[in-house]
Amino acid sequence: MVQAEQAGSAVWTVPNVVSMVRLALVPVFGVLIFSGQDVWALVVLAVSGASDWLDGYLARRLDQVTRLGQMLDPAADRLFILVTLIGLTWRDVVPLWVVVAVVARDVMLACLMPTLARLGYGTLEVSFVGKAGTFALLYAFPLLLLAERSGTLGDVALVTGWAFTWWGIGLYWWAGLQYVAQTRRLTLADRERREGVS
């Protein structure tokens, strides 16, 4: 689905403020993870994950779904994923191909934006599969950080973290291909409509 037409245009709503705080935490998290302060990085990541659920819940509960919120939420998720992956790659916790796999999918979606804009649509609504992929990746990161510790906790975190990583990447790409198919359907429908008028 394309973003809902009935979404409001307000800026300073409670869910939007929560999303803005989460965006503000991205550079804080980046500094923490690059400087090796893993405990505080995990705290910030946990707060971010909780706020990701909270802003969506509040938007629905308070009837404050806005177009800005629909953009801020996935933007904050993608920034956290990108900054975390770069930090973990820089520290040799994850290989470079993980970053490439995630970024390539987002580049693919960015290439859809001119087509959607030409058709008069906004951004595509985040799908359940896409949200599940994002959650899986965000769960994977603290586990991969914990995997740096020695002992049983580190071993369990390593296996679980990589399981979430693989699931996350798979779901992330599955959702991406769904968005491509959706854009194609919108393009074909627009073409049929114009041919019907002419």
Side-chain angles (χ1 to χ4, degrees), residues 45 81 84-85 98 102 132-142 164-169 172:
L45 201 57
I81 289 172
T84 307
L85 280 177
V98 177
V102 172
T134 299
F135 275 129
L137 289 174
L138 291 175
Y139 276 120
F141 300 148
F164 272 112
T165 300
W166 279 106
W167 271 105
I169 291 174
Y172 212 57

Side-chain angles (χ1 to χ4, degrees), residues 38 42 140-150 153-155 157-158:
D38 292 352
L42 285 170
F141 300 148
L143 290 168
L144 292 175
L145 278 175
L146 284 174
E148 293 291 280
R149 300 176 66 91
S150 58
L153 176 62
D155 293 340
L158 180 65

Side-chain angles (χ1 to χ4, degrees), residues 48-147:
S48 172
S51 67
D52 186 25
W53 171 83
L54 182 63
D55 63 4
Y57 172 78
L58 290 174
R60 293 185 296 271
R61 183 77 174 179
L62 302 176
D63 194 24
Q64 293 183 346
V65 176
T66 65
R67 287 186 288 275
L68 178 62
Q70 290 172 331
M71 291 186 293
L72 284 176
D73 185 41
D77 289 342
R78 288 190 174 102
L79 279 173
F80 257 107
I81 289 172
L82 180 62
V83 170
T84 307
L85 280 177
I86 291 173
L88 293 178
T89 302
W90 181 74
R91 290 176 51 181
D92 293 323
V93 176
V94 298
L96 182 61
W97 69 261
V98 177
V99 181
V100 173
V102 172
V103 171
R105 182 268 199 182
D106 286 338
V107 169
M108 179 183 73
L109 293 190
C111 292
L112 301 178
M113 294 178 67
T115 299
L116 290 169
R118 179 177 56 81
L119 296 174
Y121 294 105
T123 56
L124 296 173
E125 184 178 357
V126 178
S127 69
F128 173 78
V129 174
K131 202 67 174 173
T134 299
F135 275 129
L137 289 174
L138 291 175
Y139 276 120
F141 300 148
L143 290 168
L144 292 175
L145 278 175
L146 284 174

